């Protein structure tokens, strides 16, 4: 369970035959090892009759929490694709494809080439710390006539640039409305934080009367940013007082009507005199409640519309852009961050909010992890819904080649159609030292990345002035090569015994020992455990690492999967590759995008624990994925501090 998950609470007991357990729906707000906080849905206004009215909330003696599928997301994506079919004219066989669509939409389907103004504009930067490549990317976006792509490799300040772009657009176009989206709530919150808290942004935004509003459930928003949410802004606005007055009247009436449910048993005198409306009086009170609820919903919708009309900058997830609150609002600009992690259908939910002359900006890194898609081998209904029709209409020379998997994002597709001319590359990274950056830079980014002087030579010993061992302690890259030690991987015990989960996750207990040994050495040398992250591609290995290290270091060390670390960084990153077997089977490690994420999280030291022989595989295996792994192992043996055949 993670914050933002939709869940149901129900009694953890065997239901009688023919009965259904009562459920309370909600959203996970916070999760720790011992506590889960859930925001329960408000049932106000949803009941059909007096018996359905929710007057209070009580938990049964034992409760189970059931994770639910968030069907709203899929419904909105399907609705967006239906709308797109209409926009492109595909619903009418006699119409020309895309004839009535905007220039931006046509360019996204190869029906109209994207264009840029030839003359650069002068921009008074509000964030003076932007580097040359960020300035060039900003100019590239400001000159775009339809869309622009921003390619931001790890640590290159992509979010910083997008925040500056938002402020530039808001200030340069006083009446423009800007929709800022992200593939996840965290991506949206990161942008929101940059826009609200970056020094130098508050004054120009106030001068441009550019109010910022965040759409979404408050439980899915970082606590420090809730004041920017639509819910909080409506509650604390002057108009919100009228809505609160109606809510208080409803609450008072409901408390009177609910007394009979809590009336104490005979013998308890404190409850005998409680008022208990009956008959005509009770029916009249229920009628008042119904009328007040109608008034409440009417005022709430009006208030929400007022707040959103004031907001010139609206932030939401991609599917959140399809919410009812934004139903009749159009935008001059749509910006999507982490677009290389978003399903194309989700992006269209936001793009269809553009005005006819609106412009689109996509930022991301297609060389890191794509969206998580489980149906890899067949085209899903969602993908086929749109692309099957495009295949028929564009097969004679069209530029678009519909993808066969949802993993192909809009960012990927536009790069394939228009090449590097459609993107601006951010080249200066502020995270990794030169040694950590070296391999991913050469193997994936054509050697175009540069480490900023502030990070190019940072070491662990920078934090400690004592004379330290220059080997394991201070090496930027360390490789524990377990080749020939018999430290084989295995199926996790639960999976091997045929558990219900059947995740087929693998683990390697010996690698856990090596990880713990290295971390112990670092902590003994004065490294704060909070500086360290331990990663693995396998959930079972993460569980083993957590059980071994979590209590010892009081949860200070971050332990998780590679996927969960995307977009984040730590001073030290230790990765347990797990795979060690005679078949040279590497599983998840075949995906170089996943490895790219793992390789580019560390700032001062990157530690790899794995079996070089298994990872490299046979020299006769010419597959590109295997060649990438062989090149990586060769690089580690040549440039890392290698601990060969470490003993457990």
């Amino acid at each position: 369970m993670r914050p933002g998950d939709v869940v149901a609470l129900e009694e953890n007991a065997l239901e009688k035959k023919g009965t259904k357990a009562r459920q309370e729906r909600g959203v996970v707000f916070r999760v720790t090892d011992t506590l889960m906080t859930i925001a329960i849905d408000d049932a106000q206004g949803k009941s059909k009759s007096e018996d359905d009215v929710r007057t209070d909330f009580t938990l049964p003696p034992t409760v189970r929490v059931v994770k639910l599928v968030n069907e709203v997301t899929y419904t909105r994506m399907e609705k967006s694709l239906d709308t797109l079919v209409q926009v492109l004219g595909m619903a009418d066989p006699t119409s020309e494809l895309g004839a009535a669509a905007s220039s931006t939409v046509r360019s996204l389907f190869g029906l109209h080439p994207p264009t840029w103004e030839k003359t650069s504009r002068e921009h008074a930067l509000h964030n003076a710390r932007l580097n040359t490549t960020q300035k060039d990317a900003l100019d590239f976006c400001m000159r775009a006539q339809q869309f622009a792509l921003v390619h931001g490799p790890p640590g290159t300040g992509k979010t910083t640039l997008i925040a500056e772009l938002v402020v530039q657009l808001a200030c340069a176009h006083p009446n423009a409305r800007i929709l800022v989206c992200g593939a996840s709530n965290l991506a949206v919150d990161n942008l929101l934080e940059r826009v609200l808290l970056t020094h130098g942004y508050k004054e120009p935004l106030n001068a441009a009367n550019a109010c910022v509003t965040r759409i979404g459930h408050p439980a899915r928003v970082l606590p420090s940013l809730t004041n920017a949410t639509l819910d909080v802004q409506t509650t604390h606005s002057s108009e919100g007082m009228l809505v609160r007055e109606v809510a208080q009247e409803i609450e008072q009436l409901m408390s009177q009507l609910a007394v009979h449910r809590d009336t104490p048993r005979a013998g308890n005198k404190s409850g005998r005199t409680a008022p208990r409306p009956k008959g005509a009086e009770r029916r009249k009170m229920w009628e008042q409640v119904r009328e007040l609820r109608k008034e409440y919903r009417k005022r709430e919708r009006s208030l929400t519309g007022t707040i959103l009309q004031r907001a010139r900058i609206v932030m939401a997830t991609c599917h959140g852009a399809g919410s009812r609150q934004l139903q009749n609002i159009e935008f001059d600009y749509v910006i999507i961050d982490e677009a290389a992690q978003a399903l194309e259908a989700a992006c269209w939910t936001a793009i269809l909010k553009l005005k006819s002359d609106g412009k689109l900006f996509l930022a991301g890194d297609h060389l890191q992890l794509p969206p998580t898609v489980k149906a890899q081998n067949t085209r899903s209904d969602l993908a086929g819904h749109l692309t099957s029709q495009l295949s028929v209409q564009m097969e004679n020379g069209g530029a678009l080649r519909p993808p066969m998997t949802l993993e192909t994002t809009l960012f990927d597709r536009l790069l394939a159609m228009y090449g590097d001319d459609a993107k601006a590359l951010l080249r200066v990274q502020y995270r990794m030292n030169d040694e950590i950056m070296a391999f991913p830079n050469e193997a994936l980014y054509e050697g175009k990345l540069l480490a900023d002087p502030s990070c190019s030579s940072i070491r662990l010993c920078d934090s400690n002035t004592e004379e330290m061992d220059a080997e394991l302690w201070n090496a930027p890259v360390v490789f524990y090569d377990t080749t020939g030690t018999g430290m084989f991987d295995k199926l996790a015990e639960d999976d091997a015994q045929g558990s219900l989960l059947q995740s087929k996750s693998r683990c390697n207990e010996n690698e856990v020992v090596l990880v713990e040994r290295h971390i112990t050495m670092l902590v003994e040398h004065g490294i704060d455990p909070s500086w360290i992250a331990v990663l693995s591609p396998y959930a079972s290995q993460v569980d083993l690492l957590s059980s071994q290290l979590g209590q010892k270091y009081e949860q200070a060390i971050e332990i998780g999967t590679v996927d969960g670390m995307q977009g984040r960084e730590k001073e030290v990153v230790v990765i347990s590759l797990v795979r060690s077997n005679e078949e040279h089977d590497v599983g998840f490690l075949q995906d170089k995008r996943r490895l790219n994420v793992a390789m580019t999280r560390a700032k001062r030291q990157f530690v790899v624990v794995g079996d070089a022989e298994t990872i490299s595989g046979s020299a006769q295996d010419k597959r590109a994925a295997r060649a990438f792994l062989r090149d990586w192992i060769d690089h580690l043996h040549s440039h890392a501090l290698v601990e060969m055949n470490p003993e457990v």
Side-chain angles (χ1 to χ4, degrees):
M1 302 287 181
R2 297 180 179 179
D5 284 345
V6 179
V7 297
L9 291 177
E10 57 186 37
E11 185 174 2
N12 189 30
L14 293 175
E15 295 86 1
K16 295 180 180 180
K17 189 175 182 180
T19 63
K20 187 176 181 180
R22 178 190 172 194
Q23 284 191 343
E24 295 285 355
R25 294 172 65 100
V27 176
V28 177
F29 180 73
R30 186 181 296 113
V31 181
T32 68
D33 285 350
T34 58
L35 178 70
M36 181 184 296
T37 306
I38 298 174
I40 300 300
D41 283 354
D42 183 5
Q44 183 167 290
K46 298 180 181 178
S47 50
K48 302 290 185 180
S49 65
E50 176 180 332
D51 293 334
D52 293 328
V53 173
R54 171 180 170 176
T55 59
D56 61 352
F57 173 71
T58 56
L59 285 173
T62 55
V63 178
R64 60 172 172 251
V65 183
V66 183
K67 186 176 179 180
L68 304 178
V69 175
N70 190 353
E71 296 178 353
V72 173
T73 301
Y74 300 101
T75 301
R76 286 177 180 171
M77 286 193 289
E78 288 186 331
K79 183 178 179 181
S80 297
L81 294 181
D82 285 333
T83 303
L84 187 56
V85 167
Q86 301 295 328
V87 169
L88 290 174
M90 292 189 296
D92 181 4
T94 63
S95 65
E96 181 184 350
L97 181 63
S102 68
S103 173
T104 297
V105 171
R106 288 175 59 81
S107 70
L108 297 181
F109 283 100
L111 302 173
H112 181 285
T115 56
W116 282 261
E117 294 178 5
K118 295 182 179 180
T119 305
S120 297
R121 302 181 182 182
E122 291 293 330
H123 307 292
L125 295 178
H126 302 292
N127 183 352
R129 299 179 63 182
L130 263 61
N131 62 47
T132 302
T133 62
Q134 289 173 321
K135 293 176 184 176
D136 291 343
L138 178 65
D139 179 68
F140 181 75
C141 291
M142 297 295 281
R143 291 188 293 109
Q145 297 296 292
Q146 290 85 23
F147 74 87
L149 307 180
V150 176
H151 183 191
T156 53
K158 171 175 57 62
T159 304
T160 299
L161 168 67
I162 295 303
E164 177 71 18
L165 176 62
V166 170
V167 179
Q168 287 285 342
L169 292 172
C171 296
H173 307 281
N175 297 316
R177 298 176 63 86
I178 306 166
L179 176 60
V180 184
C181 296
S184 64
N185 282 290
L186 184 59
V188 179
D189 287 345
N190 285 340
L191 265 173
L192 178 60
E193 190 172 38
R194 293 294 177 89
V195 171
L196 293 181
L197 303 182
T198 297
H199 177 72
Y201 285 171
K202 187 174 182 179
E203 281 190 23
L205 287 176
N206 287 340
N209 195 28
C211 300
V212 182
T213 298
R214 167 75 156 93
I215 301 290
H217 197 298
R220 298 189 178 100
V221 180
L222 294 177
S224 59
L225 302 173
T226 51
N227 285 340
T229 62
L230 179 61
D231 283 24
V232 172
Q233 289 180 352
T234 53
T235 301
H236 291 87
S237 67
S238 56
E239 299 94 331
M241 185 178 297
L242 297 174
V243 178
R244 291 195 297 274
E245 288 176 356
V246 177
Q248 288 171 359
E249 289 186 55
I250 295 173
E251 186 177 349
Q252 290 172 0
L253 286 169
M254 292 299 295
S255 64
Q256 295 178 46
L257 289 166
V259 167
H260 70 285
R261 298 194 180 190
D262 300 324
T263 300
R265 295 181 179 179
N268 188 338
K269 297 181 180 180
S270 62
R272 292 180 179 178
T273 59
R276 184 176 179 179
K278 299 180 181 179
E281 181 185 1
R282 182 176 175 81
R283 286 193 295 273
K284 183 178 179 181
M285 291 177 69
W286 274 116
E287 187 60 37
Q288 286 180 283
V289 169
R290 293 188 184 95
E291 291 301 317
L292 285 171
R293 281 179 173 164
K294 291 179 183 178
E295 181 65 21
Y296 178 86
R297 290 194 295 272
K298 179 181 177 181
R299 293 189 182 187
E300 186 181 42
R301 284 194 293 268
S302 176
L303 176 57
T304 298
T306 300
I307 297 296
L308 287 174
Q309 287 299 328
R310 291 178 189 165
R312 289 187 48 219
I313 302 172
V314 176
M315 295 194 175
T317 57
C318 291
H319 70 267
S323 64
R324 177 178 52 82
Q325 293 101 323
L326 297 179
Q327 190 171 3
N328 298 314
I329 300 179
E330 291 185 323
F331 294 86
D332 300 272
Y333 302 97
V334 168
I335 301 172
I336 302 178
D337 192 18
E338 301 295 358
Q341 280 187 278
L343 293 172
E344 176 165 355
C347 290
W348 279 105
T349 303
I351 296 169
L352 290 171
K353 306 298 294 182
L354 275 173
K355 293 181 178 179
S356 58
D357 58 347
K359 299 175 184 178
L360 170 69
F361 306 100
L362 302 177
D365 182 8
H366 59 294
L367 299 176
Q368 294 187 64
L369 283 170
T372 300
V373 176
K374 296 184 179 180
Q376 296 289 349
N377 299 323
T378 57
R379 172 180 288 169
S380 71
D381 290 341
L382 197 59
H385 185 78
L386 176 65
T387 58
S388 60
Q389 299 185 59
L390 284 171
S391 298
V392 174
Q393 299 207 32
M394 301 191 69
E395 60 185 0
N396 298 322
L400 179 68
R401 294 294 178 268
M404 295 300 293
T405 170
L406 288 173
E407 268 196 5
T408 303
T409 64
L410 179 60
F411 196 97
D412 291 317
R413 191 165 63 71
L414 293 175
L415 272 180
M417 288 168 62
Y418 298 116
D420 291 348
D421 290 342
K423 79 172 186 180
L425 173 66
L426 304 181
R427 297 183 57 202
V428 181
Q429 67 88 12
Y430 296 86
R431 176 184 299 159
M432 303 162 277
N433 59 39
D434 286 324
E435 291 82 354
I436 295 173
M437 179 188 73
F439 180 76
N441 184 27
E442 292 298 327
L444 296 169
Y445 298 104
E446 302 176 345
K448 294 180 179 179
L449 299 187
L450 302 171
D452 186 76
S454 64
C455 68
S456 61
S457 59
I458 55 175
R459 297 288 185 276
L460 278 177
C461 65
D462 297 342
S463 63
N464 197 322
T465 57
E466 298 179 16
E467 185 177 348
M468 296 297 178
D469 180 7
E471 292 289 301
L472 287 175
W473 156 250
N474 200 32
V477 183
V478 179
F479 180 31
Y480 287 90
D481 186 355
T482 65
T483 300
T485 59
M487 298 182 183
F488 296 127
D489 63 81
K490 65 177 184 178
L491 276 175
E493 290 183 7
D494 287 345
D495 297 315
Q497 295 169 5
S499 72
L500 293 175
L501 295 179
Q502 292 293 318
S503 63
K504 296 184 180 179
S505 186
R506 305 192 79 86
C507 62
N508 192 316
E509 296 172 348
N510 292 311
E511 287 192 7
V512 173
V513 176
L514 294 175
V515 170
E516 183 180 14
R517 180 188 301 170
H518 187 85
I519 291 175
T520 299
M521 181 272 297
L522 292 179
V523 174
E524 287 175 350
H525 280 75
I527 291 298
D528 190 323
S530 65
W531 275 30
I532 304 170
V534 181
L535 307 178
S536 179
Y538 292 92
S540 292
Q541 186 75 348
V542 171
D543 291 340
L544 271 180
L545 290 162
S546 298
S547 62
Q548 192 73 16
L549 301 172
Q551 293 299 323
K552 183 176 180 180
Y553 294 104
E554 300 179 345
Q555 313 299 329
I557 294 177
E558 182 168 351
I559 304 170
T561 61
V562 174
D563 300 43
M565 195 67 181
Q566 181 153 327
R568 304 180 55 242
E569 62 186 35
K570 283 284 185 177
E571 305 294 328
V572 180
V573 171
V574 184
I575 180 170
S576 171
L577 298 179
V578 177
R579 301 316 292 258
S580 175
N581 51 73
E582 295 178 350
E583 295 79 21
H584 298 166
D585 184 10
V586 293
F588 284 142
L589 301 180
Q590 294 183 85
D591 190 345
K592 62 182 180 182
R593 294 172 297 185
R594 178 171 281 105
L595 281 179
N596 184 28
V597 173
M599 295 172 188
T600 55
R601 301 305 100 195
K603 299 174 70 174
R604 299 173 188 268
Q605 186 178 72
F606 179 45
V607 183
V608 182
V609 181
D611 183 333
E613 184 176 336
T614 297
I615 304 305
S616 296
S618 171
Q620 283 71 43
D621 190 342
K622 302 299 183 182
R623 289 177 297 174
R626 214 59 196 246
F628 178 83
L629 289 172
R630 276 197 295 274
D631 290 344
W632 183 39
I633 294 300
D634 290 343
H635 176 86
L636 290 174
H637 278 144
S638 301
H639 298 89
L641 174 62
V642 182
E643 290 287 290
M644 292 293 294
N645 304 322
E647 295 181 359
V648 174

